[in-house]
Amino acid sequence: MPPGPIDTLTEYLFLLICLELDLKDVLSLRRVSRVFGQATRNKLLWIHLLDSAASEEGSLLPTYLKKRDLLDAGALEALATRVSRVTRKWRAKDLCPVNVWRLHLQQSITWLRLVSGNWLFVASSDNHISKISCWDLSLLFQGYVEPIAEAYLPGQVKTAQVEVQAAGVVLALGLGTTSPSVLVITLRQHLESHYFAELARMEGSSHILMLHGNLVGCAMRDDVIIPHIVNWHENTIHELPPPPGGFDMPERRSVPHLLFIWNGLVVIVRRDLLEFYNQPSPAAGATYIKSIKTIEIWEVVVLDRRAVSLAPLKLLVISSSGVELLTIESDIASNGDVTCAHFCLATAPGHGDTKPWYHLIADGSGDRALWLNIAAIVLEVYPSHPYITSIDISRRPSELEAPLILWTNDLPHDPAVWAYPAIDLDAALGYTVIGNCFGELAIYDCVGSDPTTCCGLASDFTLQQNTLPPLLSLTPIPLGLRVTPSRPLGQTKSDPLLFSRWTQDDLNLDLRLWCRDFMCAGYLQRNRWHAGYWKWDRWQGVLGDYAWLLEHAHGFPASPVPQAHADDSNTDETYVLVRSGNRYLTRGTWVRSFPLGPLPTPLGMIFGQEQPCLRPTAYTEASIYDAMWYREYRTTGGRNRWVEQQERGGRPHENLVDIAAGHCVYGL
């Protein structure tokens, strides 16, 4: 059969025709003839189509994308196709996952991060071991569920930051509980395998808020709240000088929300303050510049961390109004002026004192964000299973609130997003990763096309020519953490060794008002006989208890040591006096804070100055866990995900497994 008119055309002419078509038509045309098929695999064509997809309103390209000349036509085609489909999903307000990959770990997940579209780092721990793991997504998407690298750590990861630098990926891990420290590590390829290696370790510093090149910003030093910056290359410390009024002010006694570097300035974000410092240099420390008042900030993330000189600073916050965008511009270099404007992107639904939005995060581009929403669509069912609420920050009419997209993962085999989740997203490729305290982990893909074709868009940072640093331990490092047990019903005593460090401070307390025995069967107070302090088990050191709330809601990460307790016979309120770092705190309905040293009178401690709540949404996170755990336990025949973790080899604390003794759900 003689060739048809189409087959006589050259590939060059076919390419010119394809350049006039959109992506969907090019893919359809590929099936017409062999010559068209060859032309539609031209690299220049897919560079053109990628530019077209990126120019669509609401589209995103990965920030980590290497030069296009280094990508082949197949990678460019996969990226252009995925970017176009993700954009359409956002326009349709439908981010429900099409593909899901699920894993179940033996330890609770405390932190995770997607890096460069191809790597997933996860920190997990219990009271016995702590480890860091990494998955190669290109392998995970093909069914290989084992991590490519795993190492054991000498402490639990409480906070962490990650940054891809010229010498590879750097992870700064804030280890806590037994010996607070900062551990700086990297992932390297060696002898065709991957290993975690140690770059530096700084003892005493903890609660990491920033990683910027050689600099790690920390909020704690030797269990004392002191914002400072550590140079992990030089092993030097730069403390930030106190602003006017000093650090002993209610709004500065707790750890800040954030510490980061912007336009050569160190910025500290507090509850309703922004503080500015000059960046420290090797020859000189930081110097204070000024502070400005802001709206009340409950949660905050920095949008677009890419260094753009003199670009305005944009912060996305959860406030009492909802989700707001703060824009800060500075001309400090010339006259010290700083301006701050805020705009409400989305108004939170009102439910009295309930804070229905929490756990705010943003992707690396700064154009997409999400948070958890417990305000039910049907208001009669409150609180609801948390909805994941996504928002496009970059494309919004200035006079209107940004549209919200709601989706959820409420299948029985999905990770419980209500269980103290760790979440990250790659909005350009359409991935959301969710892990939780039960060790449940899942990657959600809202697109559905083959995700392996979009792996390898960034350079492989594990390939380095410099000397391999010392490797982290490949064998477990026993932590031996001891958690105060709950008291089984009717029991009046417990292991005294677990309380050996309680009530040890030499305090001159009026024992007619305060009781220092937390295990007593009863005590006399204000001429009334009390049946004992029934709430001491709320300091056992598990998620959501009083110790957790002091850290996450009130900003006091140092392990609290209870000293005494008291009851108010007029209000039936229970007060606990604890030491946290270099401060005493009283915990009742309100938290009061006092420096170490002579304490005020009992009445003064109970009714002293209130310590502002740094993050009220932490109470939402704790209460939704209790409510949803209890609901699941009652409606599914006694399901306990802690037991499920134990059955797959985990070692959760017995109080979480044994409901009758542990009361891990305080509503039971």
Side-chain angles (χ1 to χ4, degrees):
M1 178 182 293
I6 292 181
D7 294 330
T8 60
L9 297 178
T10 65
E11 183 177 338
Y12 174 73
L13 291 177
F14 275 110
L15 178 60
L16 293 179
I17 294 172
C18 290
L19 289 174
E20 300 298 321
L21 304 176
D22 60 19
L23 187 149
K24 183 178 180 180
D25 291 335
V26 168
L27 294 177
S28 298
L29 194 62
R30 175 176 292 175
R31 297 188 289 269
V32 172
S33 72
R34 178 181 57 81
V35 180
F36 266 122
Q38 293 175 348
T40 58
R41 288 173 173 82
N42 185 283
K43 182 173 180 177
L44 292 178
L45 170 63
W46 284 106
I47 290 177
H48 166 75
L49 291 174
L50 178 60
D51 288 338
S52 298
S55 66
E56 294 183 45
E57 183 178 358
S59 66
L60 285 179
L61 284 180
T63 58
Y64 46 79
L65 188 64
K66 59 187 176 184
K67 293 182 179 179
R68 296 175 183 181
D69 293 344
L70 302 177
L71 297 173
D72 58 28
L76 291 167
E77 176 181 342
L79 177 59
T81 303
R82 179 163 281 269
V83 167
S84 179
R85 290 177 178 175
V86 171
T87 303
R88 290 202 302 270
K89 293 281 284 188
W90 274 89
R91 286 178 180 170
K93 299 181 182 180
D94 176 16
L95 296 180
C96 293
V98 178
N99 287 332
V100 185
W101 293 266
R102 299 178 180 89
L103 300 171
H104 291 85
L105 311 187
Q106 295 180 345
Q107 286 76 39
S108 298
I109 296 170
T110 59
W111 175 85
L112 59 79
R113 191 64 51 86
L114 279 170
V115 178
S116 298
N118 197 56
W119 313 90
L120 174 61
F121 293 93
V122 177
S124 58
S125 62
D126 53 26
N127 291 327
H128 305 279
I129 62 170
S130 175
K131 59 186 178 182
I132 183 76
S133 309
C134 179
W135 280 266
D136 183 333
L137 295 187
S138 64
L139 298 176
L140 182 59
F141 292 151
Q142 297 177 60
Y144 298 95
V145 298
E146 295 299 319
I148 62 167
E150 197 165 70
Y152 292 90
L153 305 171
Q156 294 177 322
V157 175
K158 297 290 187 177
T159 53
Q161 296 287 334
V162 62
E163 187 176 68
V164 178
Q165 303 179 1
V169 64
V170 175
L171 296 90
L173 308 179
L175 306 184
T177 307
T178 52
S179 55
S181 60
V182 170
L183 181 62
V184 182
I185 66 174
T186 188
L187 179 69
R188 293 287 176 85
Q189 190 172 154
H190 178 65
L191 300 177
E192 299 184 353
S193 296
H194 291 84
Y195 299 93
F196 284 106
E198 179 179 323
L199 298 175
R201 184 181 302 194
M202 287 77 69
E203 302 292 341
S205 294
S206 61
H207 200 84
I208 296 175
L209 298 173
M210 176 195 78
L211 173 61
H212 185 89
N214 300 343
L215 305 179
V216 179
C218 301
M220 300 282 292
R221 180 73 182 167
D222 296 327
D223 264 354
V224 177
I225 297 175
I226 301 177
H228 62 284
I229 295 176
V230 176
N231 187 320
W232 62 268
H233 268 198
E234 306 295 334
N235 197 22
T236 55
I237 296 176
H238 300 281
E239 290 190 5
L240 301 178
F247 288 130
D248 192 17
M249 300 174 61
E251 61 269 23
R252 294 194 181 110
R253 289 171 184 157
S254 57
V255 296
H257 284 299
L258 289 179
L259 184 156
F260 56 91
I261 292 176
W262 164 65
N263 282 343
L265 301 175
V266 176
V267 184
I268 295 179
V269 181
R270 298 191 181 274
R271 178 175 171 270
D272 56 1
L273 279 176
L274 295 181
E275 297 171 348
F276 297 87
Y277 292 81
N278 282 322
Q279 184 175 337
S281 65
T287 56
Y288 171 77
I289 300 175
K290 69 184 307 178
S291 301
I292 61 172
K293 273 281 190 180
T294 68
I295 59 174
E296 185 177 345
I297 298 172
W298 294 351
E299 297 186 23
V300 57
V301 292
V302 181
L303 298 180
D304 195 356
R305 292 180 179 270
R306 292 167 292 180
V308 179
S309 180
L310 302 180
L313 171 64
K314 293 185 177 181
L315 303 176
L316 192 68
V317 309
I318 291 182
S319 70
S320 57
S321 299
V323 172
E324 301 194 60
L325 180 65
L326 269 63
T327 303
I328 297 94
E329 298 190 63
S330 169
D331 195 19
I332 287 180
S334 59
N335 57 22
D337 287 340
V338 179
T339 60
C340 178
H342 63 96
F343 181 86
C344 188
L345 295 175
T347 303
H351 286 280
D353 294 332
T354 302
K355 317 299 187 294
W357 289 357
Y358 69 104
H359 206 89
L360 176 70
I361 65 169
D363 83 319
S365 70
D367 294 325
R368 302 285 191 270
L370 65 78
W371 61 88
L372 298 183
N373 178 0
I374 61 169
I377 302 300
V378 181
L379 296 181
E380 290 77 10
V381 184
Y382 182 81
S384 72
H385 184 285
Y387 286 84
I388 300 164
T389 304
S390 300
I391 187 173
D392 182 349
I393 306 166
S394 62
R395 303 288 190 266
R396 62 172 181 83
S398 58
E399 70 279 3
L400 297 175
E401 289 193 351
L404 306 181
I405 303 175
L406 274 64
W407 60 281
T408 191
N409 67 328
D410 54 357
L411 295 177
H413 47 285
D414 277 330
V417 73
W418 42 265
Y420 301 99
I423 306 176
D424 199 15
L425 74 156
D426 186 325
L429 298 184
Y431 303 145
T432 303
V433 182
I434 300 176
N436 64 21
C437 65
F438 302 123
E440 301 166 340
L441 177 67
I443 303 173
Y444 296 92
D445 172 21
C446 73
V447 174
S449 60
D450 183 4
T452 60
T453 56
C454 278
C455 294
L457 299 176
S459 301
D460 187 349
F461 48 65
T462 68
L463 296 172
Q464 298 292 329
Q465 298 299 320
N466 48 348
T467 304
L468 182 69
L471 300 182
L472 295 184
S473 175
L474 299 180
T475 58
I477 302 174
L479 300 183
L481 300 181
R482 309 194 75 178
V483 177
T484 304
S486 290
R487 177 173 51 191
L489 186 63
Q491 182 175 321
T492 59
K493 294 184 179 181
S494 187
D495 182 358
L497 291 177
L498 293 173
F499 298 92
S500 60
R501 65 191 190 96
W502 285 21
T503 68
Q504 295 302 304
D505 290 12
D506 187 16
L507 299 177
N508 186 22
L509 296 175
D510 185 345
L511 298 183
R512 294 172 299 178
L513 301 172
W514 293 92
C515 178
R516 302 194 65 181
D517 184 357
F518 282 83
M519 294 182 290
C520 60
Y523 58 92
L524 186 65
Q525 183 186 67
R526 293 184 183 178
N527 297 318
R528 296 176 61 198
W529 184 260
H530 292 256
Y533 180 56
W534 63 274
K535 284 188 177 180
W536 63 257
D537 59 349
R538 293 300 304 265
W539 298 92
Q540 56 185 306
V542 297
L543 296 168
D545 67 2
Y546 288 158
W548 186 91
L549 288 170
L550 276 185
E551 176 180 353
H552 293 86
H554 298 277
F556 292 93
S559 298
V561 182
Q563 303 297 324
H565 54 93
D567 288 342
D568 187 335
S569 59
N570 296 320
T571 63
D572 290 329
E573 175 113 37
T574 299
Y575 300 93
V576 181
L577 174 65
V578 302
R579 173 170 44 80
S580 177
N582 65 336
R583 301 201 68 81
Y584 285 115
L585 306 170
T586 55
R587 172 70 166 85
T589 303
W590 310 107
V591 172
R592 322 286 179 179
S593 174
F594 310 92
L596 295 185
L599 291 170
T601 63
L603 191 63
M605 282 193 286
I606 293 175
F607 298 102
Q609 186 179 40
E610 177 188 348
Q611 179 67 42
C613 184
L614 180 71
R615 182 181 164 233
T617 53
Y619 283 94
T620 303
E621 188 167 10
S623 63
I624 193 63
Y625 169 82
D626 278 0
M628 295 304 299
W629 196 103
Y630 180 63
R631 181 182 299 177
E632 183 175 75
Y633 183 81
R634 291 295 299 269
T635 60
T636 60
R639 181 181 185 183
N640 183 348
R641 297 190 192 224
W642 293 113
V643 173
E644 295 173 9
Q645 186 185 65
Q646 185 183 59
E647 290 173 347
R648 58 177 179 264
R651 298 174 67 185
H653 191 267
E654 59 185 12
N655 293 351
L656 302 172
V657 176
D658 184 356
I659 302 305
H663 300 284
C664 72
V665 179
Y666 300 115
L668 284 175

